[in-house]
Amino acid sequence: MLSLDVLLLCAISGFQLLISADGDPMIEVFKWKQLDFYNRGDGYKDLWNRICIPGSFIQYNNVPQGVTHFRGRLFVTVPRRQPGIPSTLNYIDLAKDGWSQSPHLRAYPNLAVNQYNASEQNLVSVYRTSVDVCGRLWFVDTGMLEFPNNRQQIRHPSIWVIDLANDRLLKRFEIPQSIVEIGRGLASITIDVGARRCNDAYAYIPDLVNRRLHVYHLRSDRIWSFEHSFFNFDPLSDNLNIGGQTFRWDDGIFSATLGSYKPDGSRDVFFHPMASTNEFVVSNRVLQQEFNAARSDHGDDFHLLGTRGPSTQSTMHKYDPRTGVIFFAEVQKSGVGCWKTSKPFSTENHGSVYSNSSEMIYPSDLTIDEEGYIWVMSNSMPIFVYSKLDVEKYNFRIWRQSTLLAKRGTVCE
């Protein structure tokens, strides 16, 4: 079988010199002017006509948000923020389509499951995905159509777990209304589980709208929520200038990532709001105890690590166990930052891996696969929201780099 590097050789061969990179630069793997899908081809026409959402496919409205790689498949999400989106959860088969600069997306696990009006059990809208050490794909279906001036919470948000060995649904958990009434703030999910204890998984789900951190336990099939002032946005960091657009966003807690195992078996959970340059931490032991969520005073359970520095607002971040480095998708800098967790958390110890204000416009997701590669999605979202995308130019890109090379030459060595 061909290696992933060989499969992507054609896509990477068009790589050009980039604007700013202290470490080895991120490599552009795929790019699109507009997304397209195999799902709307002739082979799917009858199915599409029978179960499609009202209205036809509207190519311009399809904006990718999340990217996750697992063993030759690249999962790409397209949240339903506009009408005309055929499938919210998709993948790229790298063996079949890795040669293409702008590959078509394939619905996952199939087109039928992505048609929300055909069944109450089908997918509505997914922002980001996560793969755990047990080979399972996790994500939250927000249950919400976020069409402009017509937002509709058409069903309860739900947590999905799929076995990637056979693409079968293992679990679908509906989040009670007492926990989440509006699903649009459930934009990411982080899984805490050991390879030999797959049934004892915990999912940490930031809620950027309600400023809460939800915790789901797979074995007990229960969910609880934490509230803390650290989950709020920073009013001194909510002014953004990205892709030529100036605006204010008040997104609260956005991303959580797990650090290394400590001698006692616990792990730190690092988190931050998107509209903030601060980083915070809490022990997973705190989050995993449901009774802690009911406390009105959390004492010193939650800690401020410090600030990453000016213009370091971040969507997603991810810890890499091989290097001990956390990598950040930085929207203001249009790039990727880093922090070596063995060093004090400070502005001086926050490094810049790569920055490209003309091409990596709004890095919306950053994940690290089991092979030690960073994957980044950039989607020009502020231009789509506040202006208009130029469909004659490339608007969406997926980037890749080894964590070992990404940190090289930075303060994260």
Side-chain angles (χ1 to χ4, degrees):
M1 180 179 292
L2 293 176
S3 69
L4 179 60
D5 291 321
V6 173
L7 293 172
L8 296 179
L9 182 60
C10 293
I12 295 174
S13 64
F15 169 63
Q16 297 176 351
L17 291 177
L18 303 174
I19 291 177
S20 173
D22 293 336
D24 279 37
M26 300 297 295
I27 298 173
E28 180 187 275
V29 179
F30 300 118
K31 60 182 177 181
W32 297 263
K33 296 175 180 178
Q34 295 188 89
L35 289 183
D36 209 341
F37 298 75
Y38 282 109
N39 319 70
R40 71 183 190 103
D42 293 337
Y44 293 86
K45 187 173 295 182
D46 291 340
L47 179 61
W48 177 259
N49 289 337
R50 277 187 279 127
I51 63 174
C52 71
I53 62 174
S56 60
F57 171 70
I58 304 172
Q59 188 171 26
Y60 180 85
N61 287 349
N62 286 261
V63 178
Q65 191 78 227
V67 61
T68 304
H69 172 253
F70 184 74
R71 301 181 184 178
R73 288 190 290 189
L74 200 58
F75 295 95
V76 176
T77 59
V78 185
R80 287 192 165 108
R81 298 169 59 99
Q82 296 278 352
I85 295 170
S87 46
T88 184
L89 182 58
N90 310 273
Y91 74 101
I92 299 169
D93 187 323
L94 296 178
K96 295 179 179 178
D97 300 318
W99 58 270
S100 173
Q101 178 177 257
S102 307
H104 286 34
L105 303 184
R106 302 171 185 266
Y108 185 83
N110 52 57
L111 178 61
V113 171
N114 277 272
Q115 306 313 307
Y116 66 84
N117 65 317
S119 167
E120 292 186 356
Q121 302 297 313
N122 286 356
L123 292 172
V124 179
S125 187
V126 179
Y127 272 85
R128 293 171 181 86
T129 60
S130 181
V131 175
D132 69 13
V133 295
C134 301
R136 300 173 299 193
L137 184 73
W138 293 67
F139 54 89
V140 175
D141 177 5
T142 69
M144 191 173 197
L145 302 175
E146 296 183 61
F147 300 166
N149 303 316
N150 188 29
R151 287 176 176 165
Q152 301 177 62
Q153 189 73 49
I154 64 172
R155 65 183 58 117
H156 291 303
S158 55
I159 299 168
W160 290 54
V161 187
I162 296 179
D163 186 347
L164 290 174
N166 53 29
D167 301 324
R168 292 180 180 175
L169 179 65
L170 298 174
K171 184 69 180 179
R172 180 183 181 273
F173 175 82
E174 280 200 2
I175 301 176
Q177 191 171 354
S178 59
I179 296 290
V180 176
E181 188 171 350
I182 298 174
R184 68 185 180 91
L186 308 179
S188 69
I189 186 169
T190 298
I191 311 306
D192 188 356
V193 65
R196 297 183 180 180
R197 303 183 66 184
C198 293
N199 193 45
D200 196 28
Y202 290 84
Y204 307 131
I205 306 169
D207 189 332
L208 64 94
V209 172
N210 297 303
R211 286 77 184 253
R212 295 174 181 172
L213 181 58
H214 309 297
V215 180
Y216 170 71
H217 185 212
L218 179 63
R219 187 175 63 192
S220 65
D221 203 30
R222 291 186 58 80
I223 190 168
W224 52 91
S225 299
F226 285 83
E227 296 186 47
H228 198 280
S229 59
F230 289 169
F231 301 162
N232 295 326
F233 75 100
D234 180 358
L236 300 179
S237 301
D238 63 347
N239 287 310
L240 302 172
N241 190 326
I242 303 170
Q245 309 300 311
T246 301
F247 53 96
R248 297 182 68 185
W249 279 356
D250 60 359
D251 291 1
I253 182 170
F254 204 98
S255 177
T257 190
L258 287 152
S260 61
Y261 284 98
K262 297 184 176 182
D264 65 357
S266 68
R267 304 173 76 181
D268 283 335
V269 180
F270 302 94
F271 66 90
H272 60 249
M274 198 280 281
S276 172
T277 59
N278 293 326
E279 192 71 23
F280 305 91
V281 67
V282 62
S283 171
N284 67 344
R285 293 280 174 85
V286 172
L287 299 181
Q288 291 175 5
Q289 298 299 321
E290 184 175 357
F291 63 82
N292 284 333
R295 292 165 51 195
S296 58
D297 182 4
H298 290 289
D300 61 354
D301 287 343
F302 294 81
H303 299 275
L304 169 66
L305 280 178
T307 180
R308 295 184 296 273
S311 301
T312 56
Q313 291 91 337
S314 169
T315 49
M316 301 302 296
H317 64 337
K318 186 71 174 179
Y319 172 77
D320 173 50
R322 295 165 184 78
T323 60
V325 173
I326 294 178
F327 294 90
F328 300 80
E330 297 180 345
V331 294
Q332 280 268 79
K333 291 190 173 182
S334 300
V336 175
C338 63
W339 168 55
K340 180 79 168 180
T341 55
S342 60
K343 297 181 179 180
F345 194 95
S346 66
T347 300
E348 293 74 25
N349 286 331
H350 187 79
S352 177
V353 172
Y354 173 71
S355 179
N356 186 333
S357 60
S358 63
E359 295 187 351
M360 192 181 277
I361 301 174
Y362 196 78
S364 58
D365 198 11
L366 183 153
T367 58
I368 299 176
D369 65 22
E370 63 181 353
E371 300 165 16
Y373 283 91
I374 305 168
W375 294 84
V376 174
M377 172 73 76
S378 59
N379 67 3
S380 305
M381 179 61 76
I383 301 175
F384 178 79
V385 173
Y386 298 110
S387 184
K388 188 173 179 63
L389 296 175
D390 183 347
V391 298
E392 297 303 318
K393 295 182 178 180
Y394 290 100
N395 296 296
F396 317 129
R397 291 175 166 86
I398 291 176
W399 313 74
R400 173 180 177 262
Q401 183 56 279
S402 160
T403 57
L404 294 171
L405 295 180
K407 71 179 179 65
R408 191 166 64 181
T410 73
V411 296
C412 305
E413 284 273 35

